[in-house]
Amino acid sequence: MEGEPTLRLRIFNLNCWAIRYLSKRRQQRVRLIGDTLRQEGFDLVLLQEVWSEQDYSELKAKLAGSYPFSHYFRSGVIGSGLCVFSRFPILDMLLYQYSLNGYPYMLQHGDWFCGKSVALVVMKISGIIFNVYVTHLHAEYCRDKDAYLPHRLVQAWELAQFIRHTSKAADVVLLGGDLNMHPEDVGIRLLRGWTGLQDAFAEAMRFEGCKNGCTLVPDNCFTDKSELLPFPLGIRIDYILYKAISSFTVKCEELKTTTGRAPGTDIPFSDHEAVMATLHIQRQGQPAGATLGTPDPALADVVAEARAEVGAGLRAARRQRYSSGRMAVLALLLLLLQAAAALATLAGLGAEQPFPKLSFCLLAFLALGVLVLATGLHLFHTMEVKMLHGTEDQMWMVLRALQERPSEG
């Protein structure tokens, strides 16, 4: 209805790249982010990769006057890196840590230690219930040979399921974050198709910023240029997505991205560009009922494609589980042989020990180390197999329901 008042909401989303001791000019950039947020006066701020609680505390103190409500979400060894600042009261919150998030032995990537999660905050603004989600999915380190694709698809599926099952009482759903997926990737298509979320960039009436809305661009001085060689304009992996439920409509009036250096400085906020959206929320004349919408007919193909990728990851995880289990058994057998030889020597049943004692002890310690490491890997890959298998089963049930639905009509 034209007579209904319109709520205007300004949202700021940024992957801050604030890794303690590793990120370049981290403290200077965090101060710059805080100064800019205080000046701009957004309604809602969604941040990722704020790994240091000290950085969050400094931001909270600086922004207390402009954003009196905030929360830092803790998980994993290092933390989730997720935090929210808001002009409006936070009524409730929840954190869900993804069941799969890379490999503990891939130390050079480190995602496993971060506890990647999706955070939910519930707010009531002008009588409208908002479910606001912020997340950060596993990074894509090699597009041609993406070993983490099955894990990222599991995360995208769990994110979609989490939103579907926690947003039924909401009027408006907002999602911001670094999804580490291109707009055409199967994970994004799965997330949007299963939740009905709309892409603010695609729906915006006005756009200003990097070409094609890219948020990782070669012009940024902190960006690894080698990763973007196949993409001379950059890539778009940071998003603001939204959806109206019940009797409301949401329109994106304007979407902006930063374009390298922050105003008045010689450095950007981060290696990622910030995404800023202005949304208009208005009540309709007649309630539409709390619904997540009718799935797109093409969704069945997207779910099937995602399930095939998860299935490939499941087969790889089973092979790794078998290899680590076999290594553990061999190490155990070697330890048992050494123990038998040592007991025989002590009992006087054999000749002198065939190996020097030092070599014998070193071999025993090596076998013990291999046994412990291989057993740990076997347990990890066993859990990985279970999570991948469970996701594949869920997708199969959804796929079957989607395929049967047209015939029911």
Side-chain angles (χ1 to χ4, degrees):
M1 283 177 69
E2 294 184 1
E4 290 287 343
T6 299
L7 173 65
R8 187 170 181 265
L9 200 67
R10 297 182 65 220
I11 304 166
F12 179 94
N13 176 78
L14 176 65
N15 177 325
C16 298
W17 189 51
I19 308 171
R20 203 168 187 176
Y21 309 120
L22 295 178
S23 297
K24 297 175 183 177
R25 303 175 74 170
R26 173 184 60 86
Q27 292 175 311
Q28 182 183 357
R29 291 187 294 104
V30 169
R31 287 194 296 269
L32 179 60
I33 291 169
D35 292 339
T36 302
L37 291 176
R38 185 169 56 184
Q39 293 168 7
E40 289 291 330
F42 292 93
D43 298 303
L44 185 61
V45 176
L46 309 175
L47 302 180
Q48 306 93 53
E49 286 205 15
V50 182
W51 300 118
S52 166
E53 292 198 37
Q54 180 181 348
D55 288 341
Y56 166 73
S57 299
E58 292 177 1
L59 283 172
K60 183 178 180 180
K62 178 175 289 188
L63 301 176
S66 306
Y67 307 91
F69 307 98
S70 65
H71 189 73
Y72 184 78
F73 294 89
R74 298 168 176 85
S75 73
V77 178
I78 302 173
S80 71
L82 306 175
C83 59
V84 174
F85 293 89
S86 171
R87 287 182 52 231
F88 305 98
I90 296 174
L91 305 179
D92 200 359
M93 64 192 70
L94 181 63
L95 183 74
Y96 174 77
Q97 185 172 340
Y98 297 122
S99 60
L100 290 178
N101 187 40
Y103 304 98
Y105 49 83
M106 300 296 283
L107 300 178
Q108 73 274 28
H109 295 157
D111 290 67
W112 186 83
F113 299 94
C114 299
K116 296 286 180 70
S117 309
V118 51
L120 162 66
V121 294
V122 180
M123 299 185 297
K124 190 172 185 179
I125 308 172
S126 299
I128 306 172
I129 300 296
F130 284 81
N131 271 26
V132 180
Y133 302 86
V134 57
T135 192
H136 185 194
L137 303 191
H138 198 294
E140 178 188 80
Y141 293 99
C142 178
R143 192 158 181 83
D144 294 331
K145 296 180 180 179
D146 188 2
Y148 299 109
L149 177 58
H151 284 210
R152 198 161 50 254
L153 282 174
V154 169
Q155 292 179 348
W157 177 254
E158 291 178 348
L159 172 59
Q161 290 286 68
F162 184 76
I163 291 174
R164 281 177 63 89
H165 292 289
T166 57
S167 63
K168 294 177 181 178
D171 297 314
V172 176
V173 173
L174 302 175
L175 169 63
D178 175 5
L179 302 184
N180 274 311
M181 295 183 287
H182 299 214
E184 69 277 6
D185 286 355
V186 61
I188 285 289
R189 290 184 282 123
L190 178 69
L191 171 63
R192 291 191 55 200
W194 192 229
T195 60
L197 290 168
Q198 295 177 289
D199 186 352
F201 172 75
E203 302 295 330
M205 290 180 258
R206 294 194 306 276
F207 172 73
E208 180 184 330
C210 299
K211 191 169 183 180
N212 299 329
C214 292
T215 57
L216 210 60
V217 295
D219 292 339
N220 189 306
C221 65
F222 295 129
T223 302
D224 185 352
K225 307 298 186 291
S226 61
E227 294 180 1
L228 295 176
L229 287 177
F231 309 98
L233 295 178
I235 57 177
R236 184 161 74 95
I237 58 175
D238 301 88
Y239 298 82
I240 293 177
L241 307 176
Y242 61 85
K243 178 177 174 61
I245 304 179
S246 67
S247 59
F248 292 88
T249 60
V250 181
K251 294 182 180 179
C252 184
E253 174 193 351
E254 183 180 56
L255 188 86
K256 294 182 179 180
T257 70
T258 52
T259 54
R261 294 177 182 176
T265 69
D266 63 340
I267 58 170
F269 292 127
S270 169
D271 61 341
H272 289 239
E273 303 301 325
V275 182
M276 298 158 282
T278 301
L279 303 181
H280 283 188
I281 300 98
Q282 188 172 28
R283 187 184 296 272
Q284 295 175 342
Q286 296 294 329
T291 175
L292 288 168
T294 304
D296 190 306
L299 179 58
D301 295 333
V302 176
V303 175
E305 183 182 350
R307 183 172 177 265
E309 293 289 354
V310 171
L314 175 59
R315 291 188 292 274
R318 282 173 171 159
R319 290 193 296 270
Q320 290 173 316
R321 180 179 63 175
Y322 173 77
S323 298
S324 57
R326 183 175 59 179
M327 188 183 300
V329 170
L330 292 174
L332 180 61
L333 288 175
L334 179 58
L335 274 176
L336 291 176
L337 286 173
Q338 287 185 288
L343 289 173
T345 302
L346 290 174
L349 300 178
E352 291 187 7
Q353 185 148 334
F355 300 108
K357 288 185 178 180
L358 178 60
S359 299
F360 191 83
C361 291
L362 288 176
L363 184 60
F365 280 118
L366 177 62
L368 181 61
V370 171
L371 175 61
V372 172
L373 178 61
T375 301
L377 289 176
H378 183 74
L379 292 175
F380 172 81
H381 288 301
T382 297
M383 291 187 290
E384 182 188 19
V385 165
K386 290 182 183 296
M387 294 300 104
L388 288 166
H389 199 178
T391 301
E392 187 186 41
D393 286 345
Q394 291 177 38
M395 289 180 172
W396 167 243
M397 292 181 65
V398 168
L399 182 60
R400 187 172 59 182
L402 290 171
Q403 290 171 340
E404 291 174 354
R405 189 169 297 171
S407 62
E408 292 174 1

